[in-house]
Amino acid sequence: FLPAEEQGSDYEENVAAEAINDFLSSLKTEERVVFVRRYWFSDDVKEIAARMGFSESKVKALLFIPSSGKHYE
C-alpha cells in the first residue's frame, strides 16, 4: 500500500481496498466465495448455486451474514 504521507485518489483507493480485504478476510471461505461471485463477478444466485453445488436457499443464506447482522442480497 501507499505510505501514509501519500494523498489523493491513489491513497483513497488503497484505503478502500484495505477495508474490502479486511471484510473479505473476516468471512468464512464459503461466504467469501459466494460474496465475490455475486458482487465482483455479478453472478446471480442461480449461477452461484450451480457453480458451488449449493441450493439457491443456501446461497441466499450465505449472502446474509448473521454475525454482522448485515444482508448483502
Side-chain angles (χ1 to χ4, degrees):
F1 287 39
L2 294 175
E5 65 272 0
E6 292 282 340
Q7 298 298 319
S9 65
D10 287 341
Y11 174 76
E12 291 166 359
E13 288 173 13
N14 283 331
V15 169
E18 185 176 347
I20 292 167
N21 286 331
D22 288 347
F23 167 73
L24 291 174
S25 67
S26 75
L27 300 177
K28 294 177 184 173
T29 301
E30 286 182 343
E31 294 168 340
R32 183 172 49 251
V33 171
V34 168
F35 186 90
V36 170
R37 293 301 321 174
R38 181 73 178 103
Y39 297 107
W40 181 261
F41 294 104
S42 299
D43 291 353
D44 63 28
V45 169
K46 188 174 185 174
E47 291 171 321
I48 297 167
R51 175 184 294 274
M52 303 283 297
F54 296 160
S55 67
E56 290 182 37
S57 294
K58 181 171 182 170
V59 171
K60 290 176 183 178
L62 289 170
L63 289 168
F64 178 79
I65 312 300
S67 60
S68 67
K70 295 179 182 173
H71 187 263
Y72 301 104
E73 173 62 315

